[in-house]
Amino acid sequence: MKIGIRKPSLSKRINARTSIKRQVVHRAGLKMPRGYGWVRNPRKFVYNKVYNKTSFDIFKILKKIFKW
């Protein structure tokens, strides 16, 4: 589990937006309402919840500083 600043990865960022799996889910209308991740995959939901509370993104810090 990562604690502290996350190391940014441009390739992972692009892949997350352009993945085939994402396109299929979105086009098929299988999206879940926000906050319902625990219904689809409870284990992943808990992991992500802890990960996001123990680590932070450098881009969010820059966004707050420069108010983009």
Side-chain angles (χ1 to χ4, degrees), residues 4-55:
I5 296 177
R6 286 183 228 135
K7 185 170 58 171
S9 171
L10 185 60
S11 62
K12 285 184 182 179
R13 210 169 183 174
I14 292 169
N15 289 340
R17 294 289 180 176
T18 60
S19 73
I20 300 295
K21 185 176 179 182
R22 178 184 171 95
Q23 297 299 323
V24 169
V25 168
H26 280 254
R27 299 223 172 130
L30 300 173
K31 295 189 295 183
M32 291 257 181
R34 220 163 158 67
Y36 277 73
W38 59 272
V39 174
R40 181 175 273 184
N41 192 340
R43 177 185 270 171
K44 188 175 183 180
F45 173 78
V46 171
Y47 176 88
N48 286 336
K49 189 82 165 179
V50 172
Y51 178 81
N52 288 324
K53 289 203 182 273
T54 59
S55 65

